Amino acid sequence: MDFDVINPATEEIVAAVPMASTEEVDAAVERAKAAFPAWRAVAPGDRARLLRAFAAQVDDHADELVDLEVTNCGHPLGQARWEVANLRDTLYYYAAAPERLTGRQIPVPGGLDVTFHEPLGVVGVIVPWNYPMPIMGWGVAPALAAGNTVIVKPSELTPLTARRVGELALAAGLPEGVLQVLPGEGPVAGRRLVNHPDVRKIVFTGSTRVGREILAASGPRVKRVTLELGGKSANIVFADADVERAAAAAPLAVFENAGQDCCARSRILVQRPVFDWFMELLEPAVRDVVVGDPRKDDTEVGPLISAAHRAKVASFVPDDAHVAFRGSAPDGPGFWFAPTVLLAPGDPARLPAWTEEVFGPVVVVAPFDDEDEAVRLANDTEYGLSGSIWTRDVGRAVRVSRAVDSGNLSVNSNSAVRFWTPFGGFKQSGLGRELGPDALDAFTEVKNVFIATE
């Protein structure tokens, strides 16, 4: 069965991509399983060299990958260039890992005790449609570096860059079967990867609902999982902050990628003494966000991914919603949605856009009185992925950072993801950690060996 891939900025069909059947997933797993012993045995320096060559192939074909991402996802040029660079840099970063995957020597009586990091085997990486290239790289790079073979299942909505990246891996010299890209639907190809007895680990980025299903399905085989799921992150602005800077940075902290970002700061909490001033500064900043043709260099925000998703986002802004102000979006073809700022009612929890992940360009703003209330409001959610704290008080920055239940926080910044630091969520935002120097722990088993000397 083929799936029609649609350009979300024009609503035109750009490709018909075959969707993998259960039988094709089984065949891919067999190829990955067969390739595993030889890939595991590749010397660390040679595996590192192949990963560097893979990164160089991505860099050499950057313009092609950018064009595919703009066409398939509607991402603006600047964003697509960042995505290619992130994939390249993640591969380079983990290319250093094979030669540093060291064990430990543990003092014990009567002998020598050492540990080894052993690869798991076949790893399934299930990639969402919102950031296809970076999120693919976050799972693929450390898994390959650790000596695993990998099957990538991109979203049926956005398979084009993943397919090309798979071809570039072969061009770089990775052996057949070590990295396979298998477009398919979640209930078919994704489910089979999760259930297949020879897939030793699943890396999934997507909704909390599907993440729960994957966790439950992995239980009977005690299959290892890394889950990066939903978010409802708070952007906390204290009265002593640089309010002008915080207001200027707030729009793209939630509207970038049309709000289709699990790290989106979709709840803004502003301390009451500066609330009105913040809103006065926020309005022009929102109206200045350039939403439009992704192929124009000055475009900052593109369309939503599909008509169905646009309808879902619109459901969070009913006719009686308390809209503070909106930005603009194009008319005509494309799944456009204007950046929208809502005011929270007296009890924010009554507002669905405050409690549920919109995954679109909608933000809710609410006042708070003191530090304790800010923390309470920030934590009043089942999610805990990201967030920001704006204050000039270093002590407050540390206290609030420790008190907010979130895996990734930034002070006086909205930066959420760096490939050289850990990334993951608290509560229902995920399980396990990606990225950073310890990521290979998620793709290896620690083997302990005691050697008697007496």
Side-chain angles (χ1 to χ4, degrees):
M1 181 188 75
D2 287 354
F3 186 90
D4 288 336
V5 176
I6 295 175
N7 182 333
T10 65
E11 302 186 43
E12 296 172 336
I13 296 173
V14 295
V17 176
M19 296 287 102
S21 65
T22 298
E23 293 75 19
E24 287 169 321
V25 174
D26 289 347
V29 173
E30 283 302 311
R31 290 191 295 270
K33 185 180 177 182
F36 173 62
W39 179 244
R40 176 184 188 174
V42 170
D46 291 334
R47 197 183 306 144
R49 176 182 54 78
L50 287 167
L51 288 174
R52 288 194 295 270
F54 186 7
Q57 283 285 327
V58 170
D59 200 35
D60 290 345
H61 293 82
D63 290 344
E64 177 189 357
L65 292 170
V66 166
D67 183 69
L68 284 172
E69 200 77 333
V70 172
T71 300
N72 194 172
C73 304
H75 292 176
L77 282 169
Q79 179 181 328
R81 290 173 184 137
W82 172 86
E83 292 178 62
V84 175
N86 185 272
L87 172 59
R88 175 202 65 204
D89 292 345
T90 300
L91 288 166
Y92 274 130
Y93 179 81
Y94 286 107
E99 296 168 289
R100 293 162 177 78
L101 195 58
T102 56
R104 301 172 62 196
Q105 183 270 316
I106 303 170
V108 294
L112 172 70
D113 199 277
V114 294
T115 64
F116 300 89
H117 285 276
E118 303 289 2
L120 302 172
V122 181
V123 173
V125 178
I126 301 175
V127 181
W129 48 259
N130 59 329
Y131 288 103
M133 277 188 289
I135 294 176
M136 175 182 174
W138 301 348
V140 164
L144 292 176
N148 301 284
T149 53
V150 182
I151 299 172
V152 174
K153 191 209 82 66
S155 167
E156 60 269 32
L157 295 173
T158 56
L160 300 187
T161 51
R163 290 197 311 176
R164 186 66 181 117
V165 169
E167 294 168 354
L168 295 177
L170 290 173
L174 269 71
E176 293 276 354
V178 169
L179 175 62
Q180 300 174 76
V181 176
L182 206 64
E185 296 178 313
V188 179
R191 180 168 292 157
R192 183 55 182 156
L193 278 176
V194 172
N195 293 331
H196 199 293
D198 290 329
V199 176
R200 297 290 305 280
K201 179 181 173 73
I202 291 292
V203 180
F204 171 78
T205 300
S207 72
T208 294
R209 177 187 62 80
V210 176
R212 285 194 291 260
E213 294 174 3
I214 289 173
L215 187 60
S218 300
R221 296 188 181 276
V222 198
K223 184 171 298 190
R224 297 178 67 169
V225 295
T226 297
L227 303 175
E228 197 276 281
L229 308 175
K232 196 65 192 172
S233 302
N235 192 349
I236 307 171
V237 182
F238 286 95
D240 70 333
D242 183 338
V243 176
E244 286 145 325
R245 185 176 164 214
L252 288 182
V254 63
F255 301 142
E256 188 175 45
N257 201 29
Q260 300 167 131
D261 183 353
C262 52
C263 291
R265 274 70 167 162
S266 56
R267 297 180 299 149
I268 304 177
L269 314 179
V270 185
Q271 199 161 19
R272 204 173 297 275
V274 296
F275 183 85
D276 291 342
W277 181 28
F278 180 90
M279 294 300 288
E280 289 174 8
L281 294 167
L282 182 63
E283 182 171 4
V286 169
R287 297 197 192 282
D288 286 345
V289 173
V290 180
V291 181
D293 184 349
R295 296 193 177 278
K296 292 185 176 179
D297 281 320
D298 63 342
T299 296
E300 296 174 293
V301 173
L304 294 169
I305 190 64
S306 67
H309 188 59
R310 180 174 58 184
K312 177 187 174 185
V313 171
S315 71
F316 287 94
V317 190
D319 292 340
D320 60 350
H322 194 172
V323 177
F325 39 84
R326 283 188 170 97
S328 60
D331 297 321
F335 307 124
W336 306 102
F337 198 93
T340 301
V341 178
L342 304 178
L343 288 177
D347 178 11
R350 292 190 293 108
L351 187 67
W354 178 266
T355 58
E356 300 176 32
E357 186 176 36
V358 178
F359 223 61
V362 177
V363 66
V364 185
V365 188
F368 68 89
D369 288 310
D370 56 25
E371 192 174 303
D372 288 343
E373 186 181 15
V375 170
R376 179 181 64 78
L377 289 171
N379 287 339
D380 187 21
T381 171
E382 65 182 10
Y383 300 112
L385 184 59
S386 195
S388 296
I389 300 158
W390 295 81
T391 178
R392 289 187 171 96
D393 185 330
V394 175
R396 169 180 283 156
V398 173
R399 285 194 307 274
V400 177
S401 294
R402 295 296 301 274
V404 172
D405 295 330
S406 185
N408 309 275
L409 290 163
S410 300
V411 176
N412 298 328
S413 164
N414 292 320
S415 177
V417 182
R418 303 168 188 82
F419 55 79
W420 54 88
T421 60
F423 179 74
F426 285 17
K427 299 187 283 189
Q428 294 195 43
S429 280
L431 179 68
R433 289 294 179 273
E434 299 178 295
L435 303 177
D438 299 326
L440 268 69
D441 291 348
F443 295 96
T444 57
E445 295 279 14
V446 176
K447 179 181 290 181
N448 184 72
V449 179
F450 171 73
I451 304 169
T453 57
E454 296 179 352

